């Protein structure tokens, strides 16, 4: 059974041997035997728990090399590779994306012509694709990563294709292949399954990963995730970590430490291609929805940013009324997802904020009872890493999301796991969302271990704001046990559970009021549980508060 409120507190500084005993008992007995063994948010708020770092597990997060067979190009000519399925705003449509042709990197590069290869998807409910076959055509593009300094190598991508399939049936398996049939450059046949119809009785099984990268720890995370058979995967920012490499391919665990004298923050774009090839085993079969992270910024000539992210993924931005790839929304069964941008303007006068207001007004909680927020940098984070980094985003948006009745918020960015109690404005609140940080996908950078509440760890406030977005909003606490301080002197009461380990999450909504959240650690068998809880909605106790948006 999970830890009950006020029973145990395990800290990384104390009770170490008690923790080891508990960990030997099937990780605090958290492997559920049945629904009756799993606690719910109604049993909370829970006394904060910290599980000490398992020093023997982490090792060094070593990247897959470019000669690894899992990332090498294994197609010929203009045959498709890096195949990916993603969702539109509803069940009746999906996007199929892929790359054809070779990327180029060096001083003298000549981009491929996107018009030279067609973007076609043939699809059917029949496996053979010889009968009842439909065909859809889309568009293609290339993007470049260019630098204005001598010695830095420019990059241009292969041809990236995006094709939208429309008029699909809900909860249905489709067979498809993609490419250009006119030049006999078609892929093998793959399958995907559409989302269930939007309604309060139908829900997909959703996998969540953040800060994934392309290391041997990444491969463990992805393998565990695939074995848990999700219907949809959410990638919560920081996909490839290509920007940990110079344009000559030299990599580092810490860019600012090793490459601080370079005139611009370089990025080795071929690692995007390596990542796309490796991930095809998952993304060609299971729809994946991504949101940007800080490692997707990838600044280049004329201060252009997010070029690879915006070009390689397909987004239902237009379908959801957004003018940007940086934020959008979509339905998956009875869940409405708000994919928000932590690296796009989010103040109350911004386009994103106004779009969010309009989107929330359209949400029908009779059709999609669950409202889930997803973005990269967390608001409620107790690690030193990125502590209070996006307070300005929280100050701008938290009240709006709270009044709209957002149930759960998923974040990445911090390379560890943390689950909060229900919280609003740093105060325990039975109507506040549960915040879950799952930036533990296995990337090359170091794992987050130190906590801001431990002696000597509280960061200097002026060092905390995000360097890309700027702005300072992280003031001292004004009430509660930490009043007058920038950090707590112990694990904050809003933090229910935290652990430094690699892993992934599975989110399974059971009905209009109950959703099962499970966190899996890489060092365990894929079906074992690291943390598990039922998140329970109370719509009668916590009604949605309406407002008038700025048109």
């Amino acid at each position: 059974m999970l830890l009950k409120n006020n029973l145990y507190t395990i800290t990384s500084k104390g009770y170490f041997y008690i923790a080891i005993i508990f960990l030997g008992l099937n990780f605090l007995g958290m492997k559920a035997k049945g629904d009756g063994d799993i606690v719910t948010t109604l049993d909370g708020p829970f006394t904060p728990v910290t599980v000490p770092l398992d020093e023997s597990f982490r090792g060094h997060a070593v990247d897959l090399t470019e000669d690894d067979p899992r990332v090498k190009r294994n197609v010929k000519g203009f045959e498709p590779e890096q195949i990916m399925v993603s969702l539109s705003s509803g069940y009746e449509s999906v996007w199929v994306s892929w790359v054809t042709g070779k990327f180029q990197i060096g001083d003298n590069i000549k981009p491929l012509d996107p018009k030279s290869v067609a973007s076609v998807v043939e699809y059917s409910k029949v496996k053979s694709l010889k009968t009842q076959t439909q065909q859809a055509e889309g568009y293609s593009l290339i993007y470049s990563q260019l630098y204005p300094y001598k010695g830095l190598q420019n990059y241009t991508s292969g041809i990236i294709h995006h094709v939208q399939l429309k008029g699909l049936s809900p909860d249905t398996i489709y067979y498809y292949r993609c490419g250009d049939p006119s030049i006999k450059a078609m892929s093998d046949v793959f399958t995907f399954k559409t989302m269930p119809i939007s309604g309060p009785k139908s829900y997909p099984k959703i996998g969540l990963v953040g800060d994934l990268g392309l290391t041997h720890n990444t491969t463990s995370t992805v393998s565990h995730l695939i074995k848990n058979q999700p219907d949809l995967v959410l990638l919560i920012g920081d996909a490839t970590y290509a920007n940990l490499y110079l344009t000559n391919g030299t990599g580092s665990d810490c860019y600012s430490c090793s490459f601080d004298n370079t005139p611009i923050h370089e990025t080795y774009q071929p690692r995007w291609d390596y990542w796309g090839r490796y991930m095809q085993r998952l993304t060609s079969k299971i729809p994946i929805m991504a949101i940007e992270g800080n490692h997707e910024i990838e600044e280049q000539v004329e201060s252009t940013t997010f070029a690879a992210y915006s070009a390689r993924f397909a987004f239902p931005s237009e379908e959801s009324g957004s003018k940007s790839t940086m934020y959008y929304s979509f339905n998956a069964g009875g869940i409405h997802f708000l994919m928000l941008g932590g690296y796009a303007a989010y103040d109350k006068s911004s386009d994103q904020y106004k779009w969010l207001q309009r989107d929330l007004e359209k949400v029908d909680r009779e059709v999609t009872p669950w409202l889930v927020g997803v973005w990269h940098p967390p608001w409620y984070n107790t690690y030193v890493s990125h502590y209070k980094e996006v307070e300005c985003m929280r100050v701008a948006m938290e009240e709006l999301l709270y009044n709209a009745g957002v149930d759960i918020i998923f974040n990445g960015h911090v390379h560890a796991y943390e689950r909060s109690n229900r919280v609003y404005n740093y105060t325990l609140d039975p109507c506040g969302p549960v915040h879950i940080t799952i930036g533990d996908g296995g990337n090359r950078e170091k794992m987050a271990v130190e906590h801001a509440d431990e002696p000597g760890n509280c960061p200097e406030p002026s060092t905390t704001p995000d360097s890309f977005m700027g702005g300072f909003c992280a003031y001292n606490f004004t009430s509660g046990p930490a009043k007058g301080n920038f950090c707590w002197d112990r694990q904050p009461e809003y933090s229910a559970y935290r652990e430094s380990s690699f892993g992934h999450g599975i989110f399974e909504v059971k009905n209009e009021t109950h959703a099962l959240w499970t966190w899996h650690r890489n060092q365990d068998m894929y079906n074992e549980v690291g943390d598990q809880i039922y998140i329970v909605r109370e719509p009668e106790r916590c009604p949605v508060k309406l407002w008038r948006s700025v048109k």
Side-chain angles (χ1 to χ4, degrees), residues 13 62 73 75 102 112 159 194 227 231 269 301 315 321 341 372 389 421 450 467 469 473 498 520:
K13 296 296 185 182
V62 179
R73 189 171 188 264
V75 298
K102 296 180 180 179
L112 297 172
I159 301 171
T194 53
K227 287 180 180 178
D231 301 308
Q269 289 298 293
V301 69
F315 307 94
V372 176
E389 186 176 277
N421 286 304
E450 296 181 337
S467 58
M469 294 302 296
C473 302
R498 63 188 183 187
H520 297 275

Side-chain angles (χ1 to χ4, degrees), residues 205 221-230 504 525-527:
K205 182 179 182 181
T221 301
V222 173
S223 295
H224 279 68
L225 176 61
I226 290 174
K227 287 180 180 178
N228 277 313
Q229 300 181 319
H504 75 279
M525 294 295 292
Y526 78 91
N527 58 346

Side-chain angles (χ1 to χ4, degrees), residues 294-351:
N294 58 299
H295 284 274
E296 277 77 67
I297 294 172
E298 299 185 309
E299 184 181 0
Q300 55 173 300
V301 69
E302 297 181 348
S303 300
T304 299
T305 53
F306 298 101
Y309 162 81
S310 296
R312 290 178 179 270
F313 294 102
F315 307 94
S317 299
E318 182 178 350
E319 301 97 294
S320 61
S322 168
K323 298 178 181 179
S324 172
T325 60
M326 309 285 278
Y327 50 88
Y328 60 92
S329 66
F330 68 96
N331 288 342
I335 312 169
H336 186 72
F337 284 99
L338 303 165
M339 309 292 282
L340 303 184
Y343 303 95
Y346 40 62
D347 59 88
K348 294 183 179 181
S349 64
S350 67
D351 288 341

